[in-house]
């Protein structure tokens, strides 16, 4: 049902850089801003990045977002054990008239 | 500090109407949009719909015929009713706040979630 596609998993060792992709279309990412949410195990999602590349207050600058065309990316630099979580991209879809989420990516710190 | 508090897990039978509430603490409904999202265990998040402080609503087309979102200002509560539930409606249900419609704004505060199970 998700219209935004993410890799199911990503991993890295502490200190490494991990990148997560989010692929959409011209009806969503192509014309809307992208937001990213972090979901720690057993908890509710938390806003991590908004408007493609903006960090809410309190989010470490190790997290960064970017968007190009119909795709977006989330990068985690200097990976830490507490970054082990599920990450979801999201954007408004004009064709569906709905806020759509990505399939989700589980990040594992090795 | 804005807090959204949801009640504990619940069990519903197929064909029943699911009713959930989300209590708002430390803030006001005015000037914001209030959203319901669900997540079947181990699956992706799904936007159900939203309401603003004037009562204007937007719904996911796939759920529009069964879902109803409302605000109770006297109790400072956001509500979701979903009728004719089936096992496919089993999920964690979250309430959340946006500074504008989901069309333009992210969801910056979330409730802790409620597990809804639909089973006979």
């Amino acid at each position: 049902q998700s219209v935004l596609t993410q890799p199911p998993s990503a991993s890295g060792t502490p200190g490494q850089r991990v990148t997560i992709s989010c692929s959409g279309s011209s009806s969503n990412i192509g014309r809307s801003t992208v937001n990213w949410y972090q979901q720690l195990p057993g908890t509710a999602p938390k806003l991590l990045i908004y408007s493609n590349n903006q960090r809410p207050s309190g989010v470490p600058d190790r997290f960064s977002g970017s968007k190009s065309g119909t795709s977006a990316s989330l990068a985690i630099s200097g990976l830490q054990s507490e970054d082990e979580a599920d990450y979801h991209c999201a954007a408004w879809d004009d064709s569906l008239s709905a806020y759509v989420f990505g399939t989700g990516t589980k990040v594992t710190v090795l | 500090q804005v807090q959204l508090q949801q009640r504990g897990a619940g069990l519903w039978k197929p064909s029943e109407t699911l009713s959930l509430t989300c209590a708002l603490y430390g803030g006001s409904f005015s000037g914001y949009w209030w959203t319901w999202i669900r997540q079947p265990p181990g699956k992706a998040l799904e936007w159900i719909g939203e309401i603003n402080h004037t009562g204007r609503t937007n719904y996911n087309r796939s759920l529009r015929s069964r879902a109803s979102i409302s605000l109770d200002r006297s109790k400072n509560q956001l509500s979701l009713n979903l009728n004719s539930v089936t096992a496919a409606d089993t999920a964690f249900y979250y309430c959340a706040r946006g500074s504008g419609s989901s069309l333009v704004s992210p969801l910056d505060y979330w409730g802790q979630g409620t597990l809804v199970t639909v089973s006979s």
Side-chain angles (χ1 to χ4, degrees):
Chain A
Q1 185 168 358
S2 299
V3 298
L4 304 181
T5 302
Q6 300 177 235
S9 63
S11 62
T13 57
Q16 277 191 328
R17 176 183 171 92
V18 169
T19 302
I20 301 167
S21 61
C22 176
S23 177
S25 69
S26 57
S27 65
N28 42 65
I29 294 178
R31 63 177 63 190
S32 301
T33 59
V34 177
N35 306 309
W36 290 89
Y37 299 90
Q38 178 193 57
Q39 187 174 25
L40 297 171
T43 70
K46 165 195 162 187
L47 180 62
L48 190 68
I49 296 287
Y50 67 96
S51 296
N52 302 326
N53 55 18
Q54 301 300 301
R55 285 186 307 276
S57 173
V59 173
D61 60 6
R62 328 186 264 105
F63 294 94
S64 62
S66 63
K67 174 186 138 174
S68 178
T70 59
S71 294
S73 293
L74 172 72
I76 311 173
S77 57
L79 191 66
Q80 299 184 6
S81 58
E82 58 260 39
D83 299 334
E84 198 160 272
D86 292 328
Y87 294 83
H88 310 271
C89 59
W92 183 264
D93 189 294
D94 272 350
S95 295
L96 299 174
S97 293
Y99 193 58
V100 293
F101 290 91
T103 47
T105 298
K106 181 176 182 59
V107 168
T108 301
V109 181
L110 301 171
Chain B
Q1 176 76 353
V2 171
Q3 288 187 33
L4 295 169
Q5 192 164 341
Q6 301 179 240
R7 294 188 180 275
L11 176 65
W12 279 262
K13 290 180 166 46
S15 81
E16 289 185 334
T17 295
L18 165 67
S19 292
L20 299 177
T21 59
C22 171
L24 170 63
Y25 296 96
S28 165
F29 286 128
S30 296
Y32 296 97
W33 285 76
W34 305 88
T35 303
W36 286 97
I37 304 100
R38 69 181 183 178
Q39 183 179 33
K43 296 189 177 179
L45 295 159
E46 180 182 29
W47 183 82
I48 298 172
E50 61 184 0
I51 187 169
N52 75 354
H53 65 283
T54 69
R56 179 179 169 184
T57 54
N58 296 311
Y59 293 100
N60 189 322
R61 288 178 190 167
S62 67
L63 294 167
R64 181 178 295 164
S65 62
R66 297 195 294 128
S68 176
I69 297 173
S70 60
L71 296 177
D72 185 334
R73 296 176 188 281
S74 66
K75 296 181 180 179
N76 235 30
Q77 281 184 352
L78 166 71
S79 296
L80 169 69
N81 283 343
L82 186 67
N83 59 39
S84 304
V85 296
T86 69
D89 295 311
T90 293
F92 288 94
Y93 285 72
Y94 298 99
C95 57
R97 188 193 83 166
S99 56
S101 165
S102 295
L103 174 67
V104 294
S105 296
L107 300 167
D108 56 3
Y109 285 94
W110 292 65
Q112 80 274 30
T114 295
L115 177 59
V116 167
T117 304
V118 180
S119 174
S120 55

